[in-house]
Amino acid sequence: MVNMVSWSRLMILGLILSTLTGCLRDDDEPIRPTRPISRLYISTSQFSLSDVEVIQNVYVVDPADDNSFTRHDLNYRTFAIGGSAIFYSPEARLLFQSAQNIARTDNSVQVMNIDTVRGTLAAQGTVNSELITAVRGIAYHPSTDMLLLANARAAATTIPPALQGSRLVTDAGPTQSDLFVYSRPRSRSNPALPNYRLPFPDKIIRAVFIHDISIQENDRRNKTYISTASTQGEILVYEELPNRLMSNPLDSLPNITPDFTLNIPSSRSLNSMTYSPQLDLMVATEAVDLTGTLVAGQGRILFFENFSTHSANTQIAPSRVITGVQTLLTNPVSVAIDTRDGAQYLYVADSNSGTSGSVLRFLITDEGNVQPDDVLQIANRTPVGVSLDARGTIPADSTANGTGASARIRR
């Protein structure tokens, strides 16, 4: 009888443990908030090396889809010497920010933990290498824990002694730009070469994003999209790039070429790209004049509908365009889109709009020479990057109740 009772207790305990295990969240799955979240992270380029003058370089607008797009309650000074590109991964709950690396040397990409409820950030690690010169595009692949950095300038030509002899350096030769790939970025703190390097000897890459079907459909398929700066718009597409990189030795130069290329004759240089799987919509920004002359109203936002249907070399054209004097678009360098069902907005960091740059909010449905839905200017700060954390179901009456779609979190 005692043995029967003992076995019964063990069976009950086993059922409880298996139930709890089944309820654990997959590491690749974003936390589902009890209330909708729309939180915009803004990277700004100003910096100060003084402990007396504290200059923040990350500003958080929460909620970003509120009727009043003017508040940035959370402001941070990260370790980046002048912010540049910024990217938030809801699956990893990590925020990545690269540095300007112009007025002062800073070859790092900051890795920060995010409190997913309050949006607060804390330093987690640093990706750092003397090969890094100008990261202008960032993507993260949660399934393989890989960080992809689009380095838009030639890597260091004078090779430091610590890097001499590395195949990542000696076998690459001169490049105009590179894709640097780091594994396990959250655990890094010391300078280190990337795990993989894709050199581009005759192209300047600008933006990168990954459409990871595995997060939605529980398989391993994904596509990596990389834009280039050229006289004609171009997007290089790699199928299952993170998985193919993993099949190569570490610290190597994999011989991987694009599976196909999307040419955009009506475009020149795509500064940034973002993608909504729900809408199957890719949105990109560009400053039309490549000579360095910036004209108000000349910047453009390009919309590409049914974007995932392209699977071979082809020419594509935007379904619609936002441009013109009323748009205030001058040098749009970064774009983020709300990917939730029923979302209304996209956000553009324009480093030359207004007196010192602005973040412009447009409706996803906008087209032509339209005014922004709202404009955010941060005094004496130049926005150069935006990334949006948008999660949770948008209430059906959110557009009619005058309070915005998402909740402001009390702090």
Side-chain angles (χ1 to χ4, degrees):
M1 183 67 179
V2 175
N3 288 339
M4 290 287 292
V5 172
S6 299
W7 277 110
S8 298
R9 289 176 177 173
L10 287 173
M11 289 177 66
I12 292 171
L13 179 61
L15 286 172
I16 293 173
L17 290 174
S18 64
T19 301
L20 290 174
T21 302
C23 293
L24 291 177
R25 186 185 57 82
D26 190 323
D27 285 342
D28 291 342
E29 180 183 347
I31 292 176
R32 295 183 179 91
T34 56
R35 292 187 291 177
I37 290 174
S38 174
R39 187 178 293 136
L40 186 69
Y41 295 94
I42 304 170
S43 177
T44 59
S45 61
Q46 283 75 16
F47 69 92
S48 171
L49 300 179
S50 168
D51 291 330
V52 178
E53 184 184 18
V54 177
I55 293 182
Q56 291 88 358
N57 55 17
V58 172
Y59 293 79
V60 186
V61 181
D62 182 12
D65 59 355
D66 191 72
N67 285 350
S68 177
F69 183 60
T70 57
R71 295 183 57 167
H72 44 85
D73 295 334
L74 297 178
N75 312 320
Y76 296 94
R77 179 187 183 181
T78 71
F79 290 110
I81 304 178
S84 185
I86 194 166
F87 179 81
Y88 175 69
S89 168
E91 296 82 18
R93 302 178 294 285
L94 293 176
L95 184 71
F96 304 95
Q97 183 191 32
S98 64
Q100 285 287 316
N101 196 28
I102 296 176
R104 292 294 296 265
T105 300
D106 185 354
N107 310 100
S108 68
V109 175
Q110 301 301 316
V111 184
M112 292 158 279
N113 266 321
I114 298 296
D115 181 323
T116 57
V117 175
R118 302 184 185 279
T120 55
L121 59 90
Q124 168 70 35
T126 303
V127 171
N128 189 359
S129 170
E130 291 176 284
L131 286 180
I132 295 175
T133 55
V135 171
R136 299 296 179 258
I138 302 175
Y140 175 77
H141 187 238
S143 301
T144 56
D145 196 11
M146 283 188 174
L147 179 66
L148 282 64
L149 306 176
N151 194 70
R153 285 205 304 264
T157 54
T158 302
I159 307 302
L163 303 185
Q164 292 178 5
S166 168
R167 289 187 56 202
L168 283 175
V169 178
T170 58
D171 292 1
T175 65
Q176 289 198 43
S177 60
D178 295 89
L179 183 71
F180 297 132
V181 182
Y182 283 85
S183 299
R184 299 184 297 278
R186 74 174 72 223
S187 63
R188 295 179 178 272
S189 58
N190 298 319
L193 288 169
N195 295 105
Y196 306 100
R197 177 182 185 181
L198 293 185
F200 292 86
D202 56 355
K203 295 180 184 294
I204 299 176
I205 62 173
R206 292 299 303 265
V208 56
F209 77 90
I210 301 174
H211 176 207
D212 193 349
I213 304 173
S214 65
I215 294 176
Q216 304 163 20
E217 300 181 5
N218 196 29
D219 66 26
R220 295 177 63 83
R221 291 179 294 161
N222 57 74
K223 290 180 181 178
T224 300
Y225 297 84
I226 300 175
S227 71
T228 68
S230 180
T231 55
Q232 177 177 289
E234 180 183 62
I235 301 174
L236 312 176
V237 187
Y238 299 79
E239 296 184 351
E240 301 185 18
L241 178 60
N243 315 93
R244 290 160 68 185
L245 289 171
M246 291 179 66
S247 65
N248 286 270
L250 291 175
D251 306 323
S252 66
L253 292 166
N255 184 21
I256 299 176
T257 56
D259 290 277
F260 58 94
T261 300
L262 304 177
N263 291 302
I264 314 170
S266 62
S267 172
R268 287 191 176 183
S269 174
L270 302 185
N271 288 335
S272 64
M273 300 186 294
T274 189
Y275 178 71
S276 169
Q278 285 80 359
L279 299 175
D280 195 10
L281 174 69
M282 195 276 279
V283 183
T285 64
E286 71 167 358
V288 177
D289 195 326
L290 296 179
T291 65
T293 302
L294 299 174
V295 179
Q298 186 173 253
R300 304 202 302 168
I301 304 173
L302 312 178
F303 296 83
F304 298 87
E305 298 173 347
N306 303 315
F307 187 70
S308 69
T309 59
H310 303 297
S311 58
N313 292 332
T314 188
Q315 289 188 354
I316 62 174
S319 310
R320 50 195 167 92
V321 178
I322 296 176
T323 190
V325 175
Q326 292 192 80
T327 68
L328 307 181
L329 292 167
T330 304
N331 188 34
V333 291
S334 182
V335 61
I337 187 172
D338 194 329
T339 61
R340 297 171 297 170
D341 291 332
Q344 301 183 72
Y345 300 117
L346 62 90
Y347 309 84
V348 175
D350 192 306
S351 62
N352 288 82
S353 178
T355 55
S356 62
S358 308
V359 178
L360 310 174
R361 187 173 76 177
F362 292 91
L363 295 175
I364 294 175
T365 55
D366 276 343
E367 181 177 5
N369 186 17
V370 296
Q371 293 181 348
D373 170 80
D374 213 334
V375 178
L376 172 64
Q377 291 187 317
I378 304 172
N380 302 315
R381 299 291 181 269
T382 302
V384 290
V386 288
S387 188
L388 184 69
D389 177 14
R391 289 173 288 127
T393 303
I394 299 176
D397 61 346
S398 63
T399 58
N401 62 17
T403 60
S406 302
R408 182 181 302 280
I409 303 299
R410 295 185 181 275
R411 298 181 176 87

